Amino acid sequence: MVSAKNETHKGRIRLGMVGGGNDAFIGGVHRIAARLDDHFELLAGALSSTPEKSIESGAALGLPRVYEDFKTMAIREARRKDGIEAVSIVTPNHVHYQAAREFLKRGIHVICDKPLTSTLADAKKLVKAAEASDALFILTHNYTGYPMVRQAREMIAAGEIGKIRVVQVEYPQDWLTTEQDFKQAEWRTDPARSGAGGSTGDIGTHAYNLTCFVSGLDVAELAADLTAFVPGRQVDDNAHVMLRFEGGAKGMLWCSQVAPGNENALRIRIYGETGGLEWAQEDPNYLWHTPFGSPKRLITRGGAGAGEAAARMSRVPPGHPEGYLEGFANIYAEAAQAIVAHRTGDKAAPEVMFPTVQDGLKGVQFVDACVRSAQRNAAWVKLAP
């Protein structure tokens, strides 16, 4: 079996970045992910909301071209024969729509951090902008790039646990248990920049996306109890959400950023008529499969029982841990294959998968529905079209 990461492409993809300057955690993660498989070369950036910080960050990274703002960057790069082919957008949520729009309308592929936007109105406008553009749109829900997540999806699609009945997903953290004023916490708890959802937007969208990706199901309606436990906090830091899927399956989603003892404890359990699956992000190379009436069995990344979908996402032999950075890089590797195919007017191979602008819209619809439900004392609400 040949890993997608080992395929040869003609020339690195010329990449730019919006946001991700000094002290920005996720910008560094994107840069590592982009260069891990040597598909991309970072050449340009508008790395901060202020021109001075953007220039300072660009110099620190050694970028050939640094711009004071993303609109200027989009205009000038589009005019260059050697201009960027793709841009990574790693800003706070409220900037995603405006930045992505500027590059999409100039035919530059967009790789955008999640959630898609801070408001449902902007999400809908961004979908239209992406559909009107010839450029690709990739959303970095990075957990869909983990090998054993792909394994679980493949097994469910093959009917190995039967028709799904119950889905449970949780994503607790503890880093916002008290009031925090450093950069990463400050914008995530500001509804003007994060959007109306706090934990629901920041990590709940990850849990929601993982649920739909692995199960293959869509949510019809939900009931959400949202709480801001920290005094004065304007967005939720804990959410309990009941889910009703199309087709009759039921689910529960818990996300929290005020759960002491939990660092990044994303976990999903799916139960069907003939068996169950369980995967935990903090132990990502293992997938538990329990056929009903049989002992629980462990499937390891690269081990016996692992299939082609997982193998495509793996780099090293079994027993050598792969995790967060590799999963993130897998999204970039999948995006690279699609972009290289696009250069010649082709489509990527069917097995190439990455979250799209439509997946991003679903995430923002999830947050919107959670907020509406909570405002009605956790009433059942349908997801907005």
Side-chain angles (χ1 to χ4, degrees):
M1 293 180 288
V2 179
S3 169
K5 274 67 66 184
N6 295 327
E7 295 178 5
T8 301
H9 301 307
K10 294 182 179 180
R12 295 186 184 94
I13 295 163
R14 300 185 300 277
L15 181 67
M17 181 168 283
V18 174
N22 292 343
D23 302 322
F25 159 72
I26 202 65
V29 171
H30 276 258
R31 288 190 288 271
I32 293 169
R35 67 174 180 259
L36 187 60
D37 300 301
D38 204 28
H39 293 313
F40 294 87
E41 183 177 10
L42 185 61
L43 296 172
L47 302 168
S48 181
S49 58
T50 65
E52 296 79 13
K53 288 183 178 179
S54 180
I55 292 170
E56 179 184 344
S57 295
L61 291 172
L63 295 188
R65 302 186 293 277
V66 184
Y67 298 91
E68 295 186 349
D69 61 82
F70 62 76
K71 185 172 183 179
T72 301
M73 175 179 166
I75 292 171
R76 293 185 181 176
E77 287 296 315
R79 290 174 179 169
R80 297 178 64 105
K81 289 184 179 180
D82 62 349
I84 61 171
E85 299 171 85
V87 63
S88 296
I89 297 175
V90 295
T91 64
N93 306 342
H94 70 295
V95 181
H96 290 181
Y97 165 62
Q98 295 177 337
R101 179 188 61 185
E102 292 298 330
F103 291 92
L104 286 171
K105 69 182 181 182
R106 293 174 174 85
I108 295 171
H109 307 296
V110 170
I111 303 170
C112 185
D113 204 54
K114 62 80 226 162
L116 183 65
T117 57
S118 60
T119 69
L120 183 56
D122 279 353
K124 292 178 178 179
K125 288 187 289 186
L126 188 48
V127 168
K128 290 182 179 179
E131 291 175 344
S133 175
D134 182 52
L136 300 171
F137 190 100
I138 297 94
L139 190 72
T140 53
H141 272 302
N142 56 294
Y143 299 110
T144 65
Y146 280 66
M148 301 317 286
V149 166
R150 297 289 179 101
Q151 173 73 23
R153 175 187 168 97
E154 184 179 56
M155 291 175 66
I156 288 172
E160 293 195 38
I161 65 169
K163 183 179 179 181
I164 294 174
R165 290 173 170 170
V166 177
V167 180
Q168 294 183 319
V169 63
E170 61 186 53
Y171 199 161
Q173 300 174 332
D174 66 3
W175 69 293
L176 293 178
T177 295
T178 59
E179 187 62 45
Q180 302 288 341
D181 60 2
F182 63 93
K183 180 178 180 180
Q184 298 306 316
E186 192 254 343
W187 75 258
R188 283 177 169 84
T189 55
D190 176 9
R193 288 177 285 174
S194 69
S199 66
T200 47
D202 193 30
I203 56 177
T205 50
H206 269 312
Y208 183 76
N209 174 263
L210 185 67
T211 295
C212 297
F213 179 79
V214 174
S215 71
L217 302 177
D218 287 319
V219 171
E221 55 184 351
L222 59 78
D225 182 14
L226 308 186
T227 307
F229 280 108
V230 174
R233 185 164 286 166
Q234 299 181 67
V235 293
D236 64 86
D237 50 32
N238 189 91
H240 296 94
V241 187
M242 302 286 287
L243 306 171
R244 291 174 178 167
F245 295 91
E246 294 177 0
K250 301 296 178 66
M252 293 186 293
L253 184 153
W254 171 46
C255 60
S256 180
Q257 292 175 311
V258 292
N262 290 281
E263 295 174 340
N264 211 59
L266 175 60
R267 180 184 298 269
I268 187 167
R269 296 177 290 273
I270 302 182
Y271 305 103
E273 294 176 343
T274 61
L277 293 171
E278 181 174 353
W279 179 81
Q281 191 275 153
E282 291 183 336
D283 203 8
N285 292 280
Y286 304 107
L287 176 69
W288 288 100
H289 175 214
T290 308
F292 178 65
S294 299
K296 179 181 287 190
R297 67 186 187 112
L298 180 63
I299 305 173
T300 64
R301 184 194 57 77
E308 177 61 27
R312 286 191 66 254
M313 298 292 100
S314 297
R315 291 174 178 76
V316 296
H320 299 280
E322 290 189 352
Y324 180 75
L325 293 175
E326 291 89 349
F328 219 114
N330 283 339
I331 302 300
Y332 268 86
E334 297 281 73
Q337 291 193 76
I339 291 170
V340 169
H342 188 276
R343 285 174 173 172
T344 57
D346 296 327
K347 291 185 177 180
E351 63 269 18
V352 173
M353 289 187 290
F354 50 79
T356 67
V357 71
Q358 289 293 340
D359 295 304
L361 175 61
K362 290 179 180 179
V364 181
Q365 289 170 329
F366 163 76
V367 175
D368 169 78
C370 286
V371 172
R372 288 189 288 113
S373 172
Q375 291 171 343
R376 296 172 52 192
N377 196 28
W380 285 97
V381 300
K382 294 185 181 297
L383 273 68

